């Protein structure tokens, strides 16, 4: 006779012991409001479960709010350490489908535990959070549109080994339609409905008839059951259509390959559906291919009962980047003014290379680079290049980097020192940035500023030779005939005449001995001092101020110093001379 394992869960940790003790103390202080029911139980995963009963008569119900009983029981699941907050469950499904209720039984008390859970406040703060949740739920103060992943059980559907599916195209509101996956990397596949290149696989894109408050399961049969259960008994079964679409798709993909699908789940609050993506592993997908071969000509009649109940689903992470559901994180910041713009950047060195990346990340539509210089190893200390770029022109190397930041960004290169069609650039581009520190190009830009019908804002950006911790930005709005070189000279006269701005005097003074660095022995061109951290910070600050200038459509000069510069104002604005 075989022996059963006699292993039992260990004793509670010191954190759990303290939490239980605090619970009993609070219950003793407020016996009419809180009661601990039964003895705590420790599970195999180290969680201690404590059942409590709360008097909820003080919660004021509002139309549309959660219906609760005068006394409600909850299960506090206390982790073995204070790094995570306690979880709160109910043992019924009366709260099913309500915002912030996960899988029908778990209450979402913390949307962001890292910021909202304070272990120093102990279990008492967890109880306060529970009471706050109940008050908001009963008082109908939840916004279902912001409930995290509420459309599919309120939980993430992700498997560790599955790739990420990137979705940028709108999902048409059809019950079932064909989509295609384009491989980008080992861990990334892009969804498209109109492939311009050979796709990796065909997949069905299925719009579920209703939300899935109990989640989508971990097997194909569970998913099919959840879809029909959520639709209601009065609705015709939708699971056969889902199964038919999967089998129809799997036979069009190569044997021995997995089968993907995308599920668009209606959100209870309306609006765009929530997307989850699944993958049926290759072996299980081959089972579906065999099923299709056994039922030729009758795929539409297949029912879930024909499927092996163990066919698993690996849930893929979905990077949902549809415009209808995505708000850019920089939408309210000054750099948002670069979005959808065509920007020329002349000079891709210490300031220009970082500025180009910041503008690319801000959502520019088109960036044109101009710099015939070549990347050498010594530049990697402070310029935005990589070892693999050595020997390549700066413009070409930077263009490759920018293209890898945003698929929707167009990047091209203007050959030579200045674009051949510079006057046309003035009429067509939204912004031209001179980051060359070239007197000749600065003077040429002054002439181009007088181009009739100029559309482009003109800007000149630079740092100081001595430290690389100062920055200067001169911007010229389209309605001014002055160029940045001219405004820079005017600003220099004002700054040099002000002893309070002595910190910035070197930006206009002749370079002194030791200000420049000779990087190698012999005939080596002197260069600036500075680190990548300093130059990137200077470029970022100037990029932000330039975004502000574009929004205001004004001209002027900004002087900035990094926080670790010892003296002087860290920002000073010089308006143009009337």
């Amino acid at each position: 006779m075989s022996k059963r394992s006699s292993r039992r869960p260990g004793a509670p940790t010191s954190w759990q012991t303290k939490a239980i003790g605090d619970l009993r103390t609070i219950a003793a202080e407020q016996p009419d409001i809180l009661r601990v029911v039964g003895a705590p139980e420790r599970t195999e995963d180290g969680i201690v479960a404590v059942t409590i009963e709360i008097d909820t008569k003080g919660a004021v119900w509002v139309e549309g709010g959660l219906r609760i009983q005068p006394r409600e029981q909850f299960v506090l699941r206390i982790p073995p350490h204070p790094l995570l907050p306690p979880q709160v469950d109910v043992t019924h499904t009366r709260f099913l489908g309500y915002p912030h209720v996960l899988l029908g039984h778990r209450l979402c008390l913390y949307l962001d535990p890292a910021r909202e859970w304070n272990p120093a406040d102990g279990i008492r703060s967890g109880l306060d959070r529970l009471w706050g949740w109940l008050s908001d739920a009963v008082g109908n103060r939840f916004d279902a549109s912001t409930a995290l992943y509420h459309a599919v059980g309120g939980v993430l559907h992700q498997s560790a080994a599955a790739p990420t599916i990137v979705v940028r195209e709108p999902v048409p509101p059809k019950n079932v339609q064909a989509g295609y996956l384009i491989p980008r990397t080992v861990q990334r596949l892009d969804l498209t409905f109109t492939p311009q290149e050979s796709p990796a696989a065909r997949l069905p894109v299925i719009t579920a008839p209703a939300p899935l408050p109990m989640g989508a399961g971990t097997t194909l049969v569970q998913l099919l059951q959840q879809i029909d259960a959520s639709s209601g008994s009065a609705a015709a079964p939708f699971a056969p259509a889902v199964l038919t679409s999967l089998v129809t798709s799997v036979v069009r993909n190569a044997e021995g390959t997995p089968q993907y699908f995308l599920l668009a789940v209606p959100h209870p609050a309306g609006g765009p559906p929530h997307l989850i993506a699944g993958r049926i592993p290759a072996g299980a997908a081959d089972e579906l291919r065999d099923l299709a071969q056994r039922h030729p000509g009758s795929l539409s009649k297949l029912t879930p009962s024909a499927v092996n109940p163990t066919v698993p689903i690996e849930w893929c992470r979905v990077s949902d980047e549809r415009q209808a559901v995505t708000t850019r994180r920089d939408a309210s910041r000054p750099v948002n003014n670069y979005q959808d713009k065509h920007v020329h950047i002349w000079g891709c060195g210490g300031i220009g290379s970082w500025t180009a990346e910041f503008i690319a990340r801000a959502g520019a539509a088109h960036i044109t680079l101009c710099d015939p210089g070549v990347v050498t190893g010594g530049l990697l200390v402070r310029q935005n290049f990589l070892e693999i770029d050595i020997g390549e022109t700066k413009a070409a190397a930077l263009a490759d980097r920018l293209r890898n930041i945003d698929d929707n960004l167009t990047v091209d290169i203007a050959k030579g020192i200045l674009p051949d069609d510079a006057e046309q650039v003035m009429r067509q581009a939204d912004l031209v940035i001179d980051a060359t520190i070239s007197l000749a190009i600065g003077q040429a830009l002054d002439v181009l500023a007088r181009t009739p019908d100029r559309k482009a804002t003109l800007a000149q950006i630079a740092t100081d030779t001595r430290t690389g911790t100062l920055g200067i930005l001169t911007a010229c709005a389209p309605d001014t005939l002055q160029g940045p070189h001219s405004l820079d000279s005017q600003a220099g006269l004002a700054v040099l005449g002000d002893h309070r701005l002595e910190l910035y005097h070197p930006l206009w003074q002749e370079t002194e001995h030791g200000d420049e660095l000779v990087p190698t022995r012999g005939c080596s061109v002197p260069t600036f001092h500075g680190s990548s951290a300093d130059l990137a910070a200077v470029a970022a600050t100037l990029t932000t101020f330039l975004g502000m200038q574009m929004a205001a459509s004004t001209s002027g000069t900004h002087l900035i110093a990094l926080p670790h510069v010892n003296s002087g104002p860290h920002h000073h604005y010089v308006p143009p001379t009337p």
Side-chain angles (χ1 to χ4, degrees):
M1 183 175 67
S2 62
K3 291 184 178 181
R4 282 189 169 185
S5 172
S6 60
R7 180 180 179 273
R8 300 180 63 185
T13 65
S14 58
W15 165 253
Q16 292 168 329
T17 300
K18 183 178 186 308
I20 295 169
D22 289 346
L23 269 177
R24 295 193 185 281
T25 299
I26 297 168
E29 293 170 351
Q30 306 178 62
D32 295 337
I33 297 177
L34 176 68
R35 185 167 70 92
V36 177
V37 180
E41 297 181 1
R42 195 166 191 271
T43 61
E44 292 288 347
D45 57 1
I47 300 292
V48 168
V50 184
T51 301
I52 62 172
E53 186 175 88
I54 295 179
D55 186 311
T56 61
K57 291 191 292 292
V60 180
W61 184 79
V62 173
E63 183 69 32
L66 179 66
R67 291 282 190 181
I68 59 175
Q69 297 177 350
R71 297 190 71 86
E72 288 279 2
Q73 286 193 354
F74 303 92
V75 179
L76 299 184
R77 300 190 181 278
I78 305 170
H81 50 72
L83 300 179
L84 296 174
Q87 294 179 346
V88 179
D89 290 356
V90 291
T91 57
H92 53 76
T93 58
R94 287 186 284 110
F95 299 167
L96 181 67
Y98 197 78
H100 297 267
V101 177
L102 315 183
L103 298 176
H105 66 86
R106 177 157 296 163
L107 312 186
C108 181
L109 302 185
Y110 299 89
L111 289 179
D112 187 356
R115 291 186 295 175
E116 298 170 355
W117 163 243
N118 184 358
D121 293 336
I123 198 67
R124 189 180 294 270
S125 69
L127 292 175
D128 290 342
R129 197 84 183 185
L130 172 57
W131 180 254
W133 185 94
L134 279 169
S135 298
D136 289 340
V138 173
N140 194 23
R141 290 190 288 271
F142 284 141
D143 181 358
S145 66
T146 61
L148 296 183
Y149 312 105
H150 175 58
V152 193
V155 296
L156 291 171
H157 284 66
Q158 293 174 4
S159 303
T164 294
I165 309 296
V166 177
V167 182
R168 290 175 175 162
E169 298 178 15
V171 176
K174 298 180 180 179
N175 287 345
V176 179
Q177 60 190 314
Y180 303 88
L181 293 176
I182 307 297
R184 294 292 300 274
T185 63
V186 173
Q187 72 275 6
R188 172 182 173 180
L189 298 166
D190 288 5
L191 173 73
T192 182
F193 296 101
T194 55
Q196 304 298 315
E197 54 187 290
S198 178
R202 174 188 169 115
L203 79 164
V205 177
I206 305 158
T207 298
L212 301 175
M214 293 297 290
T218 58
T219 68
L220 178 55
V221 169
Q222 287 176 352
L223 171 63
L224 297 175
Q225 291 172 343
Q226 294 289 6
I227 287 175
D228 273 353
S230 66
S231 302
S233 57
F238 189 69
V242 175
L243 180 58
T244 298
S245 67
L246 275 169
V247 176
T248 301
S249 186
V250 77
V251 297
R252 300 191 180 189
N253 294 321
E255 190 170 344
T257 62
Q259 176 61 50
Y260 291 87
F261 64 90
L262 185 79
L263 194 63
V265 184
H267 199 286
H274 180 70
L275 304 181
I276 58 173
R279 177 176 70 175
I280 298 174
D286 284 342
E287 285 189 40
L288 295 182
R289 293 183 181 97
D290 292 341
L291 180 65
Q293 291 174 359
R294 294 196 304 270
H295 298 81
S298 59
L299 297 183
S300 62
K301 298 180 180 179
L302 289 176
T303 62
S305 61
V307 178
N308 182 343
T310 66
V311 169
I313 294 176
E314 298 172 334
W315 293 108
C316 303
R317 184 184 299 272
V318 175
S319 181
D320 190 349
E321 301 170 26
R322 294 173 294 162
Q323 288 188 355
V325 301
T326 303
T327 300
R328 287 184 61 97
R329 289 161 173 80
D330 61 0
S332 62
R333 310 310 302 153
V335 295
N336 188 248
N337 292 298
Y338 298 110
Q339 195 168 354
D340 299 325
K341 297 294 194 298
H342 182 183
V343 180
H344 272 246
I345 300 176
W346 300 348
C348 302
I351 295 294
S353 62
W354 295 108
T355 300
E357 175 158 340
F358 298 141
I359 290 176
R361 292 187 184 278
H366 189 168
I367 294 178
T368 300
L369 303 173
C370 185
D371 192 328
V374 174
V375 179
T376 59
L379 300 180
L380 306 185
V381 171
R382 61 188 182 89
Q383 298 189 14
N384 193 15
F385 298 106
L386 308 172
E387 286 278 1
I388 198 173
D389 298 328
I390 293 175
E392 183 63 272
T393 65
K394 291 185 179 181
L398 187 58
D400 285 343
R401 183 176 182 84
L402 300 186
R403 293 184 187 109
N404 283 322
I405 289 174
D406 187 348
D407 288 342
N408 298 318
L409 173 63
T410 297
V411 185
D412 54 26
I413 299 170
K415 295 182 179 180
I417 299 175
L418 279 180
D420 293 334
D421 57 345
E423 285 194 11
Q424 193 73 0
V425 169
M426 298 296 113
R427 299 187 183 96
Q428 294 181 347
D430 296 291
L431 172 65
V432 175
I433 299 175
D434 172 21
T436 64
I437 65 165
S438 165
L439 292 174
I441 290 179
Q443 293 168 11
L445 202 56
D446 271 4
V447 174
L448 290 168
R450 297 190 289 273
T451 301
D453 302 320
R454 173 165 66 89
K455 175 187 177 183
T457 296
L458 306 182
Q460 197 171 62
I461 57 176
T463 187
D464 69 301
T465 306
R466 183 183 303 164
T467 67
T469 60
L470 306 180
I472 179 171
L473 157 70
T474 301
C476 299
D479 60 355
T480 178
L481 297 179
Q482 290 181 298
H485 181 72
S486 175
L487 287 188
D488 175 90
S489 299
Q490 293 177 17
L493 294 175
V495 173
L496 291 172
D498 189 340
H499 68 89
R500 296 169 300 179
L501 300 175
E502 185 176 358
L503 171 66
Y504 298 104
H505 289 184
L507 291 169
W508 286 274
Q509 292 172 337
E510 290 292 330
T511 303
E512 296 182 4
H513 179 72
D515 283 355
E516 291 181 315
L517 172 71
V518 178
T520 56
R521 294 182 62 185
C523 187
S524 177
V525 177
T527 186
F528 286 19
H529 293 270
S531 69
S532 61
D534 287 340
L535 293 187
V538 169
T541 306
L542 297 181
T543 301
T544 295
F545 276 116
L546 180 52
M548 296 167 61
Q549 290 291 125
M550 291 181 65
S553 192
T554 56
S555 303
T557 299
H558 289 271
L559 306 176
I560 65 102
L562 297 185
H564 56 278
V565 174
N566 291 327
S567 62
H570 288 85
H571 173 242
H572 183 77
Y573 174 67
V574 184
T577 303

